[in-house]
Amino acid sequence: MMKRIAVLTSGGDSPGMNAAIRAVVRTALYNGMETLGFMKGYEGLMDGDSMVLDRAAVGGIIHRGGTILRTARSDRFKTDAGVRSALVQLENRKIDALVVIGGDGSFRGAAEMAAMGVPVVGIPGTIDNDMAGTDITIGYDTALNTALSAVQKLRDTASSHDRLFIVEVMGRDSGFLALEVGISTGAEYVVVPEIPLDIKKMCDHLHYSRKRGKTHSLIILAEGVMSATELRNSLQDTGGYDARVTVLGYIQRGGSPSSLDTILASRMGCFAVESLLQGKSGVMTGSVCGRMELCPIEDAWRIKKELNPELLALVDKLGV
Ligand code: ADP
């Protein structure tokens, strides 16, 4: 019978991680179990930096961005010695199972633990939404709305000054955030890593919109393609355009989670613990067509999540 589980957050933080921690702890309590939280991801797991998370410890955190457990990236954990120290810490504390909240990198670490016989369930938390097995990751909706409100402000000034703006958004190697920020802000052009960039085509597109009377334009660029400054220089060289550049940066990772992220995180935290109780391991929680589902944790990095072609076509149709 499971008596004690552990939870950690790892990799890049995302809004909603605290709501997920709270749901893990409260679901464990509901089922008569205790939860330990490890600080700073795998670093704290290897060093035994932990604390008991009781009901009160997760009170008043549901609406807070970031993660109360802190997070970190750890190269040490990628070594055999690192994994062994983590196992010793779990054994010493009599921990029966582990919940890892993070992105695909963190899930590789979680898979290592599962391979060593530790029951593990992953909860996908990243603003990049780049994980297969779930339609949406925790933090993505909040980041999207943060970027939306920032770009709407830029649009005001772009239109007042008849300017061309390039806004670089996050997303690592994927274009989910850029594509949906582009659609929701009515951008003229969206540049994502999944589609090869054709500068000539972009210049023709901008030229065509200008000819039709548009006085200002907005280009949303995913960080995984190139920097906004590089794109500005290319546009200058190829089409003679003088674009203003804004890099939204880490602001996209902060802030209180949206209701969508808070509910998603609560559901996934609860589902992760219930899945462990049912004997599941080496899996991640996902929201698929609105339902909670499990898939092998390896899917997070083995399967490439594709952009929705309908949304890609929408930018072309509406952004002229
Ligand atoms: P994210 O989880 O947001 O994708 P990272 O890719 O930086 O973030 O991964 C977070 C941490 O997960 C890494 O710093 C490392 O400790 C662990 N990790 C990543 N890849 C592996 C791996 N192949 N084996 C073991 N641990 C890994």
Side-chain angles (χ1 to χ4, degrees), residues 253-267:
R253 289 238 293 251
S256 295
S258 64
S259 69
L260 195 153
D261 274 328
T262 310
I263 293 167
L264 181 69
S266 301
R267 292 177 75 195

Side-chain angles (χ1 to χ4, degrees), residues 10-12 42 72-78 83 102-110 112 125-126 172:
S10 164
Y42 294 115
R73 296 200 156 92
S74 167
D75 284 334
R76 188 159 52 111
F77 186 68
K78 293 182 182 171
V83 173
D104 58 339
S106 302
F107 281 12
R108 284 173 198 255
E112 294 281 340
T126 164
R172 293 221 288 204

Side-chain angles (χ1 to χ4, degrees), residues 54 108 110 135 147 150 246 249 320:
D54 59 13
R108 284 173 198 255
D135 295 341
T246 297
V320 192

Side-chain angles (χ1 to χ4, degrees), residues 7 33 42 45 58 64 67 79 98 106 140 190 198-199 214 219 221-222 235 240 247 253 276 299-300:
V7 61
M33 297 188 295
Y42 294 115
L45 181 57
V58 294
R64 278 169 53 191
T67 156
T79 63
L98 179 64
S106 302
Y140 174 67
V190 171
D198 183 340
I199 288 281
K214 270 201 179 178
I219 297 169
L221 166 70
L235 275 174
V247 180
R253 289 238 293 251
L276 283 170
D299 284 4

